[in-house]
Amino acid sequence: MLEVTEKLRQNNLKVTPQRIAIYNALCESRSHLSAESIYNYLRESYPTISLATVYKTLSTFIDTGLIQELNTSDGISKYDIVNDPHPHFVCNICKTLYDLPELKSMENVRNEIKDSTNFEIITEQIFLYGICDKCNEV
Amino acid sequence: MLEVTEKLRQNNLKVTPQRIAIYNALCESRSHLSAESIYNYLRESYPTISLATVYKTLSTFIDTGLIQELNTSDGISKYDIVNDPHPHFVCNICKTLYDLPELKSMENVRNEIKDSTNFEIITEQIFLYGICDKCNEV
DNA sequence: CTGCGTGCAAAACGTTTGCAACTTG
DNA sequence: CAAGTTGCAAACGTTTTGCACGCAG
């Protein structure tokens, strides 16, 4: 993976400590972070960072295609580094957002969509809703 | 399609004029309605209906599986009668939400997901983001 | 007649904005 | 030094809540 600094430069974004920290937080986190959770996480190392900066930075990253916003039924946006596309699973009970493995059959879906519309597709998001293992046990 | 009244009774919901009107509005509309647009639309025939009732009713319908909430990047929830599953397209520019035709290849995706996880899948949502025809012309 | 549904107003929530001070290149 | 970024506080718009009244079963 490219150095963060490099990624920012490539997109004509000024390299600031806040941007590096936010990007790294998203890379390092195994879970899907909200703006608020990024903010709380970064406050330990960057006590003066503001929530507004987090939102503005995330918005910038979305515009440049570095990250993706995931909008699910709990009304809180989560953010995901754009790497290999993969579907997501949302538990209707605990609202946890899980990554699912990349699907081979998505290639067919993409082709079928390309044939059925002349819209220009940039990104794709697949959400499966249901009950996760943990909540099913209870 | 079943009579609205019947659908409500089946789900142990009291049959009220508001519920019937909201359900019908969602059935009849060719576009994807937000709570606000349902409210504005219904005010013509039900001048005393309140936005809170619309929200509460939608929430009830979601819980009983009659409708689905579509959360896209514009931050305004849209609601869709749960019929045949089909993908959606969201224009990054005008934010319009389009229906795409049902995809044959989705069956493979469903199967692949079933094989790769033991989460219990209840509903699925596919969103394609990009630029729509109208915005591409400009 | 009992419990659920409605409507109003107020509150809550995540997110966005305006602006002055400060950094980056 | 110019242009873009930050942080604060206030504003915004959607959605939720509490509560008294009303209607469905």
Side-chain angles (χ1 to χ4, degrees):
Chain A
M1 195 195 62
L2 271 152
E3 198 64 52
V4 195
T5 310
E6 198 51 38
K7 286 229 173 197
L8 294 174
R9 288 231 176 84
Q10 278 179 4
N11 289 282
N12 297 314
L13 298 177
K14 289 196 173 172
V15 180
T16 68
Q18 293 88 339
R19 284 180 173 173
I20 295 173
I22 291 168
Y23 192 88
N24 280 336
L26 285 167
C27 286
E28 289 159 14
S29 168
R30 306 189 75 259
S31 60
H32 295 86
L33 300 176
S34 63
E36 185 94 34
S37 54
I38 294 171
Y39 172 62
N40 286 325
Y41 172 64
L42 292 183
R43 277 211 286 181
E44 293 175 22
S45 357
Y46 297 81
T48 67
I49 201 168
S50 83
L51 190 51
T53 299
V54 174
Y55 274 109
K56 283 171 188 166
T57 303
L58 291 170
S59 173
T60 305
F61 287 178
I62 292 168
D63 292 346
T64 54
L66 285 173
I67 66 170
Q68 208 178 13
E69 186 181 33
L70 303 176
N71 304 101
T72 61
S73 63
D74 74 349
I76 302 168
S77 296
K78 309 293 189 322
Y79 302 87
D80 215 7
I81 296 283
V82 171
N83 285 327
D84 310 307
H86 56 269
H88 290 93
F89 179 90
V90 182
C91 177
N92 284 343
I93 295 175
C94 65
K95 308 295 178 190
T96 305
L97 182 58
Y98 296 89
D99 283 328
L100 293 183
E102 154 93 300
L103 302 172
K104 282 168 251 145
S105 46
M106 270 308 292
E107 200 49 42
N108 302 325
V109 173
R110 279 184 213 109
N111 290 332
E112 210 181 323
I113 288 168
K114 269 189 201 120
D115 293 346
S116 65
T117 172
N118 31 27
F119 292 156
E120 183 192 334
I121 294 165
I122 297 172
T123 51
E124 72 195 30
Q125 291 185 4
I126 301 194
F127 294 103
L128 289 309
Y129 286 85
I131 318 284
C132 75
D133 280 2
K134 285 181 194 162
C135 291
N136 239 338
E137 277 172 20
V138 187
Chain B
M1 197 196 61
L2 271 153
E3 198 63 52
V4 196
T5 310
E6 197 51 39
K7 287 229 175 200
L8 295 174
R9 289 231 176 85
Q10 278 178 2
N11 290 281
N12 297 313
L13 298 177
K14 286 195 176 176
V15 180
T16 68
Q18 291 89 336
R19 285 180 173 174
I20 295 173
I22 292 168
Y23 191 87
N24 280 335
L26 285 167
C27 286
E28 289 158 15
S29 168
R30 306 188 74 261
S31 59
H32 295 87
L33 300 176
S34 63
E36 185 95 34
S37 54
I38 294 172
Y39 172 62
N40 286 326
Y41 172 66
L42 292 183
R43 277 212 284 182
E44 292 175 23
S45 357
Y46 297 82
T48 67
I49 201 167
S50 83
L51 188 52
T53 298
V54 174
Y55 274 108
K56 284 170 188 167
T57 303
L58 291 170
S59 172
T60 305
F61 286 178
I62 292 167
D63 291 345
T64 54
L66 286 173
I67 67 171
Q68 208 177 13
E69 187 181 30
L70 303 176
N71 304 101
T72 62
S73 63
D74 73 349
I76 301 169
S77 296
K78 310 293 189 322
Y79 302 87
D80 216 7
I81 295 284
V82 172
N83 284 329
D84 309 307
H86 56 270
H88 290 93
F89 179 89
V90 182
C91 177
N92 284 342
I93 296 175
C94 65
K95 308 294 178 190
T96 305
L97 181 59
Y98 297 88
D99 282 328
L100 293 183
E102 156 91 299
L103 302 171
K104 283 168 250 143
S105 46
M106 270 307 293
E107 199 51 40
N108 302 325
V109 172
R110 279 184 214 110
N111 290 331
E112 210 181 322
I113 289 168
K114 271 190 200 118
D115 292 346
S116 67
T117 172
N118 32 26
F119 291 157
E120 182 191 336
I121 294 165
I122 297 173
T123 51
E124 72 195 30
Q125 292 186 3
I126 301 195
F127 294 103
L128 289 309
Y129 286 84
I131 318 285
C132 75
D133 280 3
K134 285 179 194 163
C135 291
N136 238 339
E137 278 172 19
V138 187

